Amino acid sequence: MTKAERTRQFIIEKAAPIFNKKGIAGTAISDIMEVTKLAKGGVYGNFESKEEICLEAFNYLTTSLGNAINQSMDGKKSAKEKLFALLDFYAERLTKSNNGGCPILNFGAEADDTNPVMKQRVKEAISTSQKRIANVVKQGLEAGEFKDSFNAETFGIKMFTMIEGAILISRVQSSNSHMMLITDMLKTEIEENCI
């Protein structure tokens, strides 16, 4: 990695939590300058615009989130264990995070009507998240762990949507009770679909 690439990555990593907490519109270049200790020219010498930094920050956040989710499921043998680990990850990490919570939720809420490029990136991240869940269910179906009536795609959409809603409510109310209720409901549904 060249010095320029390292500097660019440094800016992305430092700016990402700020965008996740303050939002696209709420984050100023001065915020990025403050956290990176770079002058405006140092920031703009590596990026053409705040929009470019924002897009790269979203990519960084969602890639980091995906890697952490995958790591939480590593070593789990059954599909049920993987789904439970995923639910536990969301309940523990994203409702209590000091980095602003779920970037898919945060960026999506802001970009849905104002930023078509970011909206498309969020749409892709949602699809990836739902497919991750659906693929685990499919693995369980193939291994004979789940009833044939357990619809992988539908459950992927349902689980991800319920989790995102629970993250929002839990963070706004500063209480994990909604998340715990939702994860318990989803775990019960998974159990009911086990053979």
Side-chain angles (χ1 to χ4, degrees):
M1 193 182 274
T2 67
K3 183 179 179 190
E5 290 169 333
R6 283 194 308 272
T7 301
R8 186 176 165 87
Q9 188 61 33
F10 170 75
I11 294 168
I12 292 166
E13 290 176 14
K14 291 293 188 180
I18 297 170
F19 278 111
N20 203 35
K21 285 181 188 175
K22 292 180 129 185
I24 301 165
T27 300
I29 289 298
S30 59
D31 294 321
I32 297 168
M33 291 165 52
E34 182 180 328
V35 75
T36 61
K37 308 294 185 228
L38 294 171
K40 192 181 239 183
V43 174
Y44 282 124
N46 290 280
F47 296 93
E48 290 183 21
S49 64
K50 181 178 110 170
E51 171 84 7
E52 184 184 4
I53 303 169
C54 180
L55 289 170
E56 292 298 329
F58 179 75
N59 291 342
Y60 171 77
L61 288 165
T62 54
T63 299
S64 298
L65 176 60
N67 291 340
I69 288 170
N70 290 337
Q71 189 174 37
S72 76
M73 294 189 295
D74 282 350
K76 307 297 187 247
K77 296 193 187 312
S78 72
K80 175 187 157 185
E81 289 174 332
K82 289 178 183 178
L83 291 171
F84 276 35
L86 178 57
L87 287 165
D88 292 341
F89 172 87
Y90 275 106
E92 289 301 313
R93 290 279 300 272
L94 292 183
T95 55
K96 298 176 182 177
S97 166
N98 290 329
N99 288 331
C102 181
I104 298 170
L105 177 66
N106 295 340
F107 283 76
E110 188 171 358
D112 66 339
D113 293 320
T114 60
N115 189 324
V117 175
M118 182 57 75
K119 181 179 179 179
Q120 181 59 36
R121 296 267 180 102
V122 173
K123 183 178 175 181
E124 291 165 6
I126 290 169
S127 178
T128 298
S129 298
Q130 292 171 343
K131 285 178 184 172
R132 177 186 290 112
I133 297 164
N135 287 338
V136 173
V137 174
K138 286 177 187 174
Q139 292 167 9
L141 286 164
E142 290 168 9
E145 293 177 48
F146 296 132
K147 297 174 185 174
D148 290 338
S149 59
F150 197 19
N151 186 297
E153 283 79 17
T154 301
F155 187 74
I157 293 167
K158 178 181 186 175
M159 181 170 153
F160 182 73
T161 302
M162 290 175 73
I163 287 169
E164 289 296 299
I167 291 169
L168 173 65
I169 293 168
S170 294
R171 290 186 65 80
V172 169
Q173 293 187 340
S174 299
S175 168
N176 212 22
S177 62
H178 283 83
M179 178 57 82
M180 299 316 297
L181 176 67
I182 293 300
T183 56
D184 286 347
M185 288 171 59
L186 289 165
K187 286 179 179 181
T188 299
E189 184 172 348
I190 293 163
E191 291 272 12
E192 288 170 349
N193 281 284
C194 287
I195 292 177

